[in-house]
Amino acid sequence: MPELDVPFSRIQETLKRTVSALDEAEVPFLIGGSLASWARGGPDTTHDLDVIVRPQDAKRAQDALAAIGMRAENPPEAWLLKAWDGDVLIDLIHQPAGLTVDDELMANAECVNVAAMDFKVMAVEDVLFTKLNSLNEHYLDFSSALQIARSVRELVDWDRLRERTSGSPYATAFFCLLDELGIVESRATAAG
């Protein structure tokens, strides 16, 4: 089933069902991607729900969602499993680009209360790190990362993120965009 744009209200319904099912099954998880930004005041999303789980918990998470009526899907990509809640896609990501899902990543998360739910969200800096690490010559879409950067820029240690992504020419281009758009203060301006 192709990824569809769906109303944010549907994504919120799926988020509630997913959080409840994973909590009930005692599967540790983080909400990642654009929803992690949304939980801190960022923009809504109309694409999907990213759930970050440890590799050893991915199948158990998928089974918990299937147990409440969601349709499980095993894609060819080795870094995730999927579930569908009607027209809403849930990506169960167990190997995000450039990160290991371990105790340290889970500890960097923050518990938030949004839409009458408590759940842990991935650190915004880690969300941006994975988005920048997923860029390549075949996939070069800065739009989601730019939206996140604009809306929650005060929550990111920009110098640390630059350092963490210094080996990527695509991340370098992203920071150039941020500097030129005035989203973050450039190093040259800060030093001068």
Side-chain angles (χ1 to χ4, degrees), residues 40-63:
R40 293 177 173 95
D44 297 349
T45 182
T46 58
H47 296 297
D48 62 11
L49 171 59
D50 291 340
V51 178
I52 311 301
V53 294
R54 291 181 174 99
Q56 65 269 27
D57 294 327
K59 181 66 175 138
R60 208 161 54 91
Q62 187 184 47
D63 290 345

Side-chain angles (χ1 to χ4, degrees), residues 144-187:
S144 175
L146 281 171
Q147 287 177 344
I148 292 170
R150 275 193 171 112
S151 61
V152 293
R153 63 180 152 239
E154 68 281 352
L155 301 177
V156 178
D157 180 340
W158 292 106
D159 289 336
R160 184 168 184 271
L161 185 59
R162 280 181 203 259
E163 225 174 83
R164 290 174 69 190
T165 59
S166 63
S168 167
Y170 308 103
T172 300
F174 176 74
F175 283 108
C176 185
L177 277 171
L178 293 183
D179 291 344
E180 291 297 316
L181 294 171
I183 294 171
V184 297
E185 189 175 291
S186 75
R187 289 186 195 190

